[in-house]
Amino acid sequence: VDLFTVCEEAGKLSAGEINRLEFPSQYFGSWYFIAAAAAGPGDPSLEAFTSMDNTRFRIQEDLQPNRLLLTARIRANNGSCMPREWIYLVTEGSTDLQTKGRTDRITELFSCTCPDCIILQETDLKVKRLLLYSRSPQLPEACVEDFKKAASCSRLKEILLLPQTQEYCEFQGN
Ligand code: MYR
């Protein structure tokens, strides 16, 4: 099959499997960062990730309504654990997310070809990237390949796979 066919069929980003009725609660809990894609080498979109060995995220309801608390534990290549925190703002009737304090940034959710993964597209003034997350630390190779295909069809050909050679950092109380 030619590239056009691949991109029309398998490679198209789709939000079809995003369950809007349960949104956002079906995404609560723990996630692992698997891969990221951007336009090309030197793209600032991937800069933040090049010194990471692995990252674990946790999503939960915030105390305020229509807000999600996103916490991360980043394991840097040098072994240190870096905690990070963001707040997502949820708009009724949409699965697009805004990041508190980053009004230019929009995060869109897309389906992944395996059941327990999700693709995020982050766009802001400087950045356009696709991010792949999974409920478990490893994803079947085929899902990662499909992610690469989807990225390539969105003209994002630079792929960064998280090395995941070190242990995951702990969340307090786990
Ligand atoms: C960043 O590094 O710029 C932020 C990364 C966001 C990570 C989100 C990981 C979990 C994705 C689950 C879907 C969330 C939908 C409410």
Side-chain angles (χ1 to χ4, degrees):
V1 286
D2 59 48
L3 190 62
F4 177 79
T5 312
V6 168
C7 291
E8 279 306 299
E9 290 165 11
K12 219 175 193 158
L13 282 174
S14 149
E17 304 294 318
I18 305 291
N19 183 342
R20 292 165 161 270
L21 294 176
E22 281 175 58
F23 186 79
S25 61
Q26 76 268 39
Y27 299 116
F28 290 173
S30 190
W31 291 91
Y32 297 89
F33 189 14
I34 305 295
D43 186 318
S45 299
L46 298 182
E47 229 165 61
F49 308 134
T50 52
S51 57
M52 281 182 193
D53 181 78
N54 66 61
T55 299
R56 223 172 137 192
F57 290 93
R58 186 178 272 180
I59 299 214
Q60 59 201 105
E61 257 173 314
D62 190 50
L63 294 173
Q64 294 185 49
N66 296 320
R67 285 182 175 209
L68 305 176
L69 179 62
L70 172 62
T71 46
R73 293 290 179 273
I74 300 167
R75 174 77 74 180
N77 285 330
N78 70 10
S80 63
C81 285
M82 300 184 293
R84 289 280 182 281
E85 213 174 281
W86 297 264
I87 288 175
Y88 276 145
L89 309 175
V90 184
T91 312
E92 194 88 35
S94 170
T95 59
D96 292 352
L97 303 167
Q98 283 186 290
T99 303
K100 186 171 173 272
R102 294 292 309 262
T103 46
D104 63 322
R105 176 169 293 186
I106 176 108
T107 300
E108 296 160 81
L109 307 188
F110 294 102
S111 315
C112 181
T113 50
C114 290
D116 287 322
C117 49
I118 187 161
I119 296 171
L120 269 56
Q121 178 171 282
E122 285 186 342
T123 320
D124 66 33
L125 294 172
K126 279 192 242 157
V127 159
K128 182 180 174 185
R129 59 192 177 204
L130 285 177
L131 307 164
L132 175 64
Y133 303 96
S134 167
R135 286 293 195 184
S136 50
Q138 307 299 333
L139 263 183
E141 187 58 30
C143 310
V144 179
E145 286 308 311
D146 286 344
F147 171 76
K148 290 183 189 171
K149 241 180 258 169
S152 166
C153 293
S154 298
R155 296 167 187 261
L156 304 177
K157 293 181 193 288
E158 184 75 6
I159 307 287
L160 182 146
L161 295 170
L162 278 285
Q164 296 180 294
T165 56
Q166 302 183 40
E167 275 185 52
Y168 278 88
C169 300
E170 295 289 321
F171 279 100
Q172 217 167 18
N174 215 39

